[in-house]
Amino acid sequence: MDTQLGALNVVTTPNGNVGSPPKTNSVSCVQSSPVPLSSCDATLGRHLARRLVQIGVSDVFSVPGDFNLTLLDHLIAEPGLNNIGCCNELNAGYAADGYARSRGVGACVVTFTVGGLSVLNAIAGAYSENLPLICIVGGPNSNDYGTNRILHHTIGVPDFSQELRCFQTVTCYQAVVNNLEDAHEQIDTAISTALKESKPVYISIGCNLAAIPHPSFSREPIPFSLSPKLSNQMGLEAAVEAAAEFLNKAVKPVMVGGPKLRAARASEAFVELADASGYALAVMPSGKGLVPEHHPHFIGTYWGAVSTSFCAEIVESADAYIFAGPIFNDYSSVGYSLLIKKEKALIVQPDRVVIGNGPTFGCILMKDFLQALAKRIKKNTTAYENYHRIFVPEGHPLKSAHLEPLRVNVLFEHIQKMLSGNTAVIAETGDSWFNCQKLKLPEGCGYEFQMQYGSIGWSVGATLGYAQAATDKRVISCIGDGSFQVTAQDVSTMLRCGQNPIIFLLNNGGYTIEVEIHDGPYNVIKNWNYTGLVEAIHNGEGKCWTTKVKCEEELIEAIETATGAKKDCLCFIEVIAHKDDTSKELLEWGSRVSAANSRPPNPQ
């Protein structure tokens, strides 16, 4: 059930129904069950499991290891919590990432060090993307700390803190639970911190502690209360007044949504401002899916030189622009080539507002600011009217000749027709970034990709996690062959879970995005029989259908089958494409990123 508890949008009432948030400025509560616990239920493991269920996590993604086996026993003993065993820790972390994008929070369980360091890359990605993710590690026996012993699964020194030190850099809170007396507080603090900060946290549980009852786990009810962040009211009023003055004197202002709208839980407030202002409305590439593209003033993706048609011209010619939750890095700025001037920009981050070259207002929540500004802004539709005047509808790809080798732009024209409010798109790092950016998302259609971290292979695990959380949507994943080779194993887990995503595997013989930045023999990979691989993984267990397409006629037939007779199956469609068949946006972007990467050292 998609309750969005991790995002603190709603709470679960004692009978399990979803209710409205408490109307109070002091706390947001996630209610616990009033049923008294027996001593066998009042264990550390069951307490952690109940907390996960209370915040909306009904599935944990795990890889077993001897340090977490007892913990897993107690987690899966909790009604409402399902264990999904993954093929490796990296994919378990990616799955928790995808799950958090749909559900609001995700969780994974691995074993000490060999598992923890394997999942670390996925946790770093979730940190960069501002996702609340609970990373749970089965740790050493509590008696082994400080004994100068050497344990297996470690690097062979008696200091067991290596894993913790690694996680300190990619999580916002770390709890090493080595005694029962503090466990309740440590676990609750970790989980509440993840939700408040919208970042991953690390919880290590001593392998000998998970099964032990303790009085602190049996007190009922155990309210789980989160003190909400509040804006400084005087600062908020001053910021809104300054922002309204800045924007109301502009001739053709625009507004652009960024990826931190998610962490700030401010997408609805952003739309409120768009409705009130009449401004032309765009989205940064990493914010796609967070802003409704069916909005009447939506003008597309602002991505500098590789923006959707006519969007960059309107944004960069504006005399004032609001960026809500932006991340300006070398990728989103196309090698630092955006034609944006600081003095014209109003930057709204989750907790502060910067107007032009100053002033800066801190302790202000984005949601509060956007809602208050909507009441003070003057309507100004000039920028959108200019866009409407110059806009020329995009053409269609050249019609394919009979049995002509399939072109990528033809593929995405057909993917566009598949989209509805009952679908979600997962776009892998690579040319899928650029082709999927041009998809027009219908109302309710989900969209996810990992732009800040850009870890190839992310989409396989993310598809698993997202599909497990969003059971009301059919996931359409667009994955390159190079990326798929990194994480292909967990197609197996999708089949075990009975999921029915449609995976488009773009087979063009290499790491195309790297080719366009800097080519070399290292970008060529060994070709696989991808459909044969998935059939081998399927092995007659579960519902699976695969096909290989080389022309438009075969693609049309494959899509008809995947959305018709095989709609309940995992459908894997391998698309054969020419190695040089890339989007024009990738060619432009790659050249600019290459130029940024190859800048010579500044003189010392």
Side-chain angles (χ1 to χ4, degrees):
M1 179 175 60
D2 190 354
T3 61
Q4 291 294 314
L5 286 175
L8 302 184
N9 291 335
V10 296
V11 299
T12 300
T13 55
N15 63 5
N17 295 325
V18 176
S20 301
K23 295 183 177 0
T24 171
N25 289 327
S26 58
V27 293
S28 293
C29 300
V30 181
Q31 303 291 340
S32 60
S33 169
V35 180
L37 296 175
S38 65
S39 61
C40 64
D41 292 334
T43 62
L44 189 160
R46 288 297 293 274
H47 173 72
L48 176 57
R50 290 197 306 274
R51 284 305 193 221
L52 294 176
V53 171
Q54 287 171 341
I55 63 171
V57 173
S58 53
D59 305 272
V60 294
F61 301 90
S62 71
V63 177
D66 59 326
F67 287 126
N68 70 13
L69 297 177
T70 303
L71 175 61
L72 287 172
D73 286 340
H74 285 261
L75 291 178
I76 64 178
E78 180 65 23
L81 190 62
N82 179 41
N83 177 64
I84 297 178
C86 295
C87 296
N88 58 51
E89 290 86 359
L90 180 61
N91 274 336
Y94 286 157
D97 172 313
Y99 193 93
R101 290 167 183 266
S102 174
R103 191 64 63 90
V105 61
C108 59
V109 185
V110 299
T111 197
F112 186 60
T113 307
V114 288
L117 299 189
S118 290
V119 80
L120 191 69
N121 184 55
I123 303 305
Y127 188 96
S128 75
E129 301 279 326
N130 300 292
L131 297 170
L133 197 158
I134 318 298
C135 181
I136 303 162
V137 174
N141 187 294
S142 62
N143 299 306
D144 286 329
Y145 283 87
T147 61
N148 210 36
R149 291 173 176 165
I150 293 177
L151 286 183
H152 69 287
H153 289 341
T154 69
I155 60 172
V157 296
D159 178 5
F160 302 156
S161 67
Q162 181 206 19
E163 179 183 83
L164 170 64
R165 285 182 279 119
C166 290
F167 274 94
Q168 284 173 336
T169 61
V170 295
T171 57
C172 66
Y173 186 86
Q174 306 82 36
V176 178
V177 180
N178 277 330
N179 66 80
L180 296 174
E181 287 70 24
D182 298 332
H184 184 290
E185 180 182 359
Q186 286 181 285
I187 289 171
D188 285 9
T189 301
I191 292 175
S192 61
T193 303
L195 299 182
K196 287 189 290 186
E197 301 298 325
S198 197
K199 294 282 191 183
V201 294
Y202 165 86
I203 303 175
S204 174
I205 306 286
C207 64
N208 59 326
L209 301 180
I212 303 177
H214 190 270
S216 65
F217 306 138
S218 59
R219 287 196 297 268
E220 290 290 348
I222 306 173
F224 193 25
S225 301
L226 304 179
S227 300
K229 295 180 180 179
L230 300 174
S231 296
N232 179 298
Q233 285 301 312
M234 291 183 65
L236 175 62
E237 291 169 11
V240 169
E241 182 177 350
E245 181 182 359
F246 177 79
L247 294 169
N248 287 337
K249 67 183 181 183
V251 177
K252 45 184 180 180
V254 299
M255 54 193 298
V256 183
K260 291 186 180 180
L261 281 170
R262 187 205 304 271
R265 304 177 182 106
S267 290
E268 291 184 7
F270 187 73
V271 174
E272 283 182 38
L273 180 59
D275 292 338
S277 67
Y279 293 177
L281 170 65
V283 65
M284 296 184 76
S286 48
K288 187 176 177 70
L290 301 177
V291 174
E293 298 186 6
H294 61 277
H295 192 278
H297 285 180
F298 183 76
I299 64 172
T301 297
Y302 174 62
W303 200 354
V306 295
S307 301
T308 53
S309 298
F310 305 100
C311 181
E313 292 80 359
I314 294 299
V315 171
E316 293 180 345
S317 66
D319 55 343
Y321 11 76
I322 312 173
F323 281 86
I327 295 178
F328 295 109
N329 61 25
D330 52 337
Y331 273 15
S332 67
S333 67
V334 197
Y336 312 112
S337 65
L338 299 184
L339 300 179
I340 293 294
K341 296 182 178 178
K342 185 178 179 182
E343 63 269 18
K344 295 182 180 180
L346 191 160
I347 308 294
V348 188
Q349 294 293 9
D351 57 0
R352 70 183 188 279
V353 175
V354 183
I355 301 176
N357 290 318
T360 297
F361 300 89
C363 300
I364 295 171
L365 299 185
M366 183 190 296
K367 181 178 179 180
D368 295 343
F369 174 79
L370 296 176
Q371 288 176 331
L373 182 59
K375 297 178 174 64
R376 296 283 303 275
I377 207 77
K378 293 179 181 177
K379 206 169 190 75
N380 185 336
T381 59
T382 303
Y384 180 74
E385 290 166 4
N386 287 345
Y387 170 80
H388 190 66
R389 287 188 194 98
I390 68 172
F391 178 74
V392 177
E394 290 185 13
H396 295 282
L398 295 174
K399 186 171 178 58
S400 298
H402 180 58
L403 300 183
E404 176 189 346
L406 185 62
R407 286 175 274 117
V408 173
N409 53 19
V410 173
L411 165 65
F412 279 89
E413 184 179 43
H414 286 282
I415 291 177
Q416 176 68 67
K417 297 173 185 176
M418 299 172 67
L419 303 185
S420 71
N422 298 319
T423 60
V425 176
I426 305 289
E428 175 58 73
T429 300
D431 202 17
S432 292
W433 275 4
F434 302 91
N435 287 301
C436 288
Q437 276 294 328
K438 292 181 281 188
L439 295 173
K440 296 176 175 61
L441 303 181
E443 184 174 1
C445 182
Y447 185 91
E448 298 294 344
F449 80 135
Q450 190 196 59
M451 186 173 186
Q452 171 60 37
Y453 201 57
S455 185
I456 65 169
W458 162 86
S459 63
V460 177
T463 295
L464 165 64
Y466 192 99
Q468 191 65 23
T471 55
D472 58 331
K473 295 186 186 297
R474 192 167 192 193
V475 178
I476 299 172
S477 293
C478 301
I479 308 176
D481 51 348
S483 296
F484 187 72
Q485 288 195 8
V486 179
T487 50
Q489 305 97 312
D490 272 281
V491 168
S492 170
T493 312
M494 299 177 201
L495 290 168
R496 290 177 66 189
C497 294
Q499 296 178 0
N500 68 336
I502 301 174
I503 298 175
F504 287 98
L505 187 285
L506 190 60
N507 184 349
N508 57 10
Y511 297 120
T512 304
I513 190 169
E514 312 294 2
V515 168
E516 302 308 334
I517 297 174
H518 183 93
D519 201 3
Y522 31 75
N523 290 325
V524 179
I525 61 176
K526 171 71 174 69
N527 193 32
W528 292 0
N529 179 356
Y530 294 97
T531 53
L533 174 68
V534 173
E535 286 290 354
I537 291 172
H538 173 216
N539 198 26
E541 298 176 3
K543 295 181 177 180
C544 180
W545 177 76
T546 69
T547 190
K548 188 175 298 189
V549 301
K550 299 179 180 178
C551 61
E552 185 175 16
E553 291 87 344
E554 292 176 349
L555 174 67
I556 292 170
E557 183 179 346
I559 291 174
E560 287 177 352
T561 302
T563 55
K566 301 296 183 180
K567 65 182 179 182
D568 295 328
C569 298
L570 183 152
C571 295
F572 185 87
I573 302 174
E574 181 181 351
V575 179
I576 307 300
H578 192 278
K579 67 181 182 66
D580 293 325
D581 186 356
T582 63
S583 64
K584 70 180 183 65
E585 290 81 9
L586 174 55
L587 296 175
E588 172 79 20
W589 179 90
S591 299
R592 290 174 181 262
V593 169
S594 176
N597 287 351
S598 59
R599 287 167 297 160
N602 290 325
Q604 298 300 312

